């Protein structure tokens, strides 16, 4: 009990109040045989200098993209983050990761979230967006439940081209709610339209589509949306926000609900988190949206103000009527997203997306020229692509690591049929010299 911040006198008063003589009596029901007898092996305290050195030593065991060239993607992307992003995040007014629980006195934070929602709507072509979700995967799962609620149906169609970890999260969210998840096969890296059309019926509430998909390939979203709508189902799209600098918005393609991972804007890799999910939809579905929405209004004096509105979650309304039980949002990560994207502007976003596209295609072209290497799919792609290799992916990546290069993702981890395939990602952070070095090192492998 050394870490309980009560004095001995206070402890005695508490014990007397609850009617026991000692702290040991509190644990009387726990058998001696299961209690730890030895002392915990806790180090003695350190000075600040010693602590800093110790933490630096632990951090040095990690491999980072500051030291290595990384070509990993699959949901976590290395992008250049301008220095103004972190500088603005350091302002004390923004030192919280949460939506304010007393929103009326937090106008600055609410305005920042309102701007985030506005940017997400402009990106996606949707009418409304919420204050952010935990990450892209949970945002997709929430959107699937939202679509089933809107259509009063209990089945969703999920292509094999959806991120495998997104599929796992979907199962976690949907199965306890009685929603069936049916997988649709793929052809040439995209969903098989004939199989999709054959699976669509009056029981299907939504088609969940990722584009660019897990393999980096751009799906035929407009055609898929038409097929879904013809059967009364909704089209839910998961997107890479950077790609929207070049591609048509999901709204233009017929999507009803749009989600995605917001990490590419303003948020570093952080070894996997924290990240943020965004979720936007058409106006007719806004009241079914999970989480919370910041709205703009006027106070009694006619001045513009911001409020939390339409909080369709179980903390605010009857549990059985709630759209979700999501407890908060990723406000600080969403702010980084907002600052970065605001600084880029429309022209900057287009240039960023164009660099990603050009560099990825150059890398795919050059790798594809190597003996035993070829592009796995001929379908159009954005900044990720799959290479089929006659050499063991493990051997390829081990060789690259020796030269401080983190290679592609070995896809056999997710599908045994892809045991000779590597997923590469190339962003604006890679120069032509970087890519040429990657290709040269890969060419050395026999």
């Amino acid at each position: 009990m050394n870490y309980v911040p009560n004095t001995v006198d206070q402890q005695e008063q508490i014990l007397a109040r609850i009617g026991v003589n000692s702290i040991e009596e509190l644990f009387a029901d726990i058998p001696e045989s299961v209690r730890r007898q030895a002392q915990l092996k806790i180090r003695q305290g350190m000075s600040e200098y010693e602590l800093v050195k110790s933490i630096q030593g632990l951090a040095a065991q990690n491999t980072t993209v500051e030291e290595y060239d990384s070509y990993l993607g699959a949901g976590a992307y290395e992008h250049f983050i301008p220095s103004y992003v972190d500088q603005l995040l350091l302002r004390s007014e923004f030192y919280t990761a949460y939506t304010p629980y007393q929103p009326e006195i937090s106008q600055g934070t609410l305005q920042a979230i309102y701007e985030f929602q506005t940017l997400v709507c402009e990106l996606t072509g949707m009418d409304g967006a919420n204050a952010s979700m935990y990450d892209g995967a949970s945002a997709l799962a929430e959107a699937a439940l939202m679509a089933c609620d809107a259509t009063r149906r209990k089945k969703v169609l999920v292509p094999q081209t959806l991120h495998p970890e997104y599929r796992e999260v979907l199962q976690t969210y949907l199965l306890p709610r009685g929603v069936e998840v049916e997988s649709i096969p793929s052809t040439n890296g995209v969903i098989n339209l004939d199989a999709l059309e054959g699976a669509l019926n009056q029981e299907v509430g939504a088609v969940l589509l990722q584009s660019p998909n897990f393999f980096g390939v751009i799906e035929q979203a407009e055609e898929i949306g038409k097929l879904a709508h013809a059967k009364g189902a909704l089209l839910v799209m998961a997107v890479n926000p950077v790609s929207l600098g070049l591609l048509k918005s999901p709204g233009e393609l017929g999507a009803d609900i749009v989600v995605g991972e917001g990490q590419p804007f303003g948020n570093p890799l952080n070894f996997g988190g924290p990240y943020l999910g965004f979720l936007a939809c058409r106006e007719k579905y806004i009241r079914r949206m999970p989480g919370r929405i910041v709205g703009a209004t006027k106070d009694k004096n006619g001045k513009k103000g911001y409020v939390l509105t339409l909080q369709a979650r179980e903390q605010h309304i009857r549990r059985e009527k709630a759209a979700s039980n999501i407890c908060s949002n990723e406000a600080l990560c969403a702010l980084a997203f907002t600052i970065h994207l605001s600084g880029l502007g429309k022209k900057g976003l287009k240039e960023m997306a164009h660099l990603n596209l050009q560099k990825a295609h150059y890398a795919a072209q050059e790798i594809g020229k190597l003996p035993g290497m070829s592009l796995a799919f001929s379908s159009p792609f954005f900044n990720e692509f799959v290479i089929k290799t006659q050499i063991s992916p493990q051997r390829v990546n081990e060789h690259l690591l020796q030269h401080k290069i983190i290679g592609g993702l070995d896809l056999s981890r997710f599908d045994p049929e892809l045991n000779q395939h590597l997923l590469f990602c190339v962003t604006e952070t890679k120069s032509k010299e970087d890519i040429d070095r990657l290709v040269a090192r890969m060419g050395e492998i026999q």
Side-chain angles (χ1 to χ4, degrees):
M1 303 294 286
N2 293 337
Y3 297 98
V4 176
N6 298 319
T7 65
V8 174
D9 288 342
Q10 288 171 329
Q11 291 178 29
E12 289 177 352
Q13 290 175 25
I14 294 170
L15 292 171
R17 185 68 178 268
I18 62 178
V20 295
N21 296 318
S22 68
I23 291 172
E24 278 299 310
E25 281 191 41
L26 294 174
F27 306 106
D29 293 331
I30 302 176
E32 288 284 345
S33 60
V34 299
R35 297 193 199 184
R36 184 183 179 91
Q37 303 301 323
Q39 290 294 317
L40 292 175
K41 294 181 180 179
I42 299 175
R43 291 178 58 180
Q44 294 299 312
M46 291 184 281
S47 68
E48 181 181 352
Y49 175 78
E50 290 171 325
L51 179 61
V52 169
K53 296 295 286 184
S54 177
I55 296 299
Q56 287 175 339
L58 291 173
Q61 296 177 36
N62 292 323
T63 296
T64 71
V65 293
E66 279 72 38
E67 305 169 68
Y68 285 61
D69 286 339
S70 175
Y71 294 90
L72 283 176
Y77 302 98
E78 181 192 4
H79 290 286
F80 173 70
I81 301 175
S83 58
Y84 62 77
V85 176
D86 281 344
Q87 285 302 307
L88 290 173
L89 286 178
L90 285 171
R91 291 185 62 93
S92 59
E93 299 96 318
F94 295 132
Y95 263 10
T96 175
Y98 298 103
T99 310
Y101 280 89
Q102 292 179 309
E104 299 80 8
I105 60 172
S106 304
Q107 289 295 300
T109 300
L110 290 181
Q111 182 178 358
I113 295 173
Y114 184 83
E115 298 299 337
F116 165 77
Q117 294 171 179
T118 303
L119 288 173
V120 170
C121 287
E122 289 189 7
L123 268 180
T124 60
M126 294 286 104
D127 301 315
N130 69 13
S132 79
M133 310 295 286
Y134 295 138
D135 55 23
S138 61
L140 181 61
E142 294 277 10
L145 290 173
M146 181 179 163
C148 289
D149 184 44
T151 58
R152 298 181 183 275
R153 298 178 180 181
K154 289 288 189 177
K155 186 176 183 178
V156 296
L157 302 182
V158 177
Q160 289 180 342
T161 56
L162 181 70
H163 197 305
E165 292 171 351
Y166 280 37
R167 293 205 298 267
E168 291 180 2
V169 173
L170 278 171
Q171 296 282 353
T172 301
Y173 272 68
L174 270 56
L175 293 186
R177 296 281 291 269
V179 178
E180 181 185 352
V181 179
E182 182 177 337
S183 182
I184 305 298
S186 62
T187 303
N188 194 28
V190 294
I191 188 172
N192 185 304
L193 290 181
D194 291 334
L196 174 65
E197 189 170 11
L200 277 164
N201 55 43
Q202 301 303 318
E203 298 177 358
V204 177
V207 176
L208 311 185
L209 183 71
Q210 184 178 14
S211 184
N213 62 32
F214 178 58
F215 303 123
V217 179
I218 299 167
E219 297 274 4
Q220 300 175 60
E222 194 165 10
E223 181 63 28
I224 292 167
K226 290 176 181 177
L227 292 174
H229 293 150
K231 296 295 184 179
L234 302 187
L235 175 62
V236 177
M237 282 188 68
V239 297
N240 178 339
V242 178
S243 71
L244 299 179
L246 287 179
L247 302 177
K248 282 185 177 181
S249 73
E252 294 175 275
L253 298 173
D256 300 290
I257 306 172
V258 184
V259 302
E261 174 56 66
Q263 178 269 327
F265 292 127
N267 288 273
L269 290 167
N270 280 343
F271 295 96
Y275 289 170
L276 74 147
F278 57 84
L279 190 154
C281 67
R282 297 196 183 276
E283 185 177 5
K284 64 189 294 187
Y285 305 116
I286 284 178
R287 288 190 174 273
R288 301 182 185 275
M289 189 179 288
R292 62 275 296 269
I293 302 170
V294 174
T297 185
K298 291 183 179 179
D299 64 15
K300 66 179 183 180
N301 299 318
K303 294 181 179 180
K304 189 172 185 178
Y306 299 91
V307 295
L308 284 181
T309 185
L310 296 178
Q311 300 176 77
R313 63 182 189 143
E314 52 87 15
Q315 289 187 2
H316 296 93
I317 63 177
R318 286 178 296 172
R319 180 169 297 181
E320 67 274 13
K321 299 291 185 183
S324 168
N325 70 345
I326 182 172
C327 292
S328 191
N329 74 305
E330 297 285 355
L332 195 62
C333 296
L335 178 60
F337 176 107
T338 304
I339 295 169
H340 189 182
L341 191 51
S342 298
L344 281 171
K346 292 182 179 180
K347 183 179 178 182
L349 175 58
K350 184 176 181 179
E351 290 177 358
M352 179 181 177
H354 198 239
L355 285 172
N356 277 251
L357 181 78
Q358 283 186 317
K359 294 183 177 187
H361 280 72
Y362 173 71
Q365 171 190 296
E366 295 304 303
I367 294 173
K369 293 177 182 177
L370 297 174
M373 304 279 179
S374 61
L375 198 60
F377 309 118
S378 59
S379 303
F381 62 91
F382 178 54
N383 68 352
E384 293 179 273
F385 55 90
V386 178
I387 290 293
K388 185 176 182 180
T389 170
Q390 295 177 14
I391 307 168
S392 162
Q394 181 179 356
R395 191 174 163 196
V396 171
N397 283 337
E398 285 176 352
H399 179 80
L400 292 176
L401 277 174
Q402 293 173 8
H403 298 279
K404 290 199 169 186
I405 299 173
I406 302 171
L409 177 64
D410 184 352
L411 294 180
S412 65
R413 168 182 167 186
F414 303 105
D415 187 346
E417 293 184 7
L418 298 175
N419 65 343
Q420 292 295 115
H421 294 73
L422 285 162
L423 175 65
F424 285 87
C425 176
V426 184
T427 69
E428 78 284 354
T429 61
K430 299 296 174 284
S431 65
K432 181 177 181 298
E433 291 73 24
D434 292 332
I435 298 169
D436 288 342
R437 189 167 79 92
L438 167 70
V439 175
R441 295 307 183 193
M442 291 180 69
E444 296 170 352
I445 308 168
Q446 300 297 324

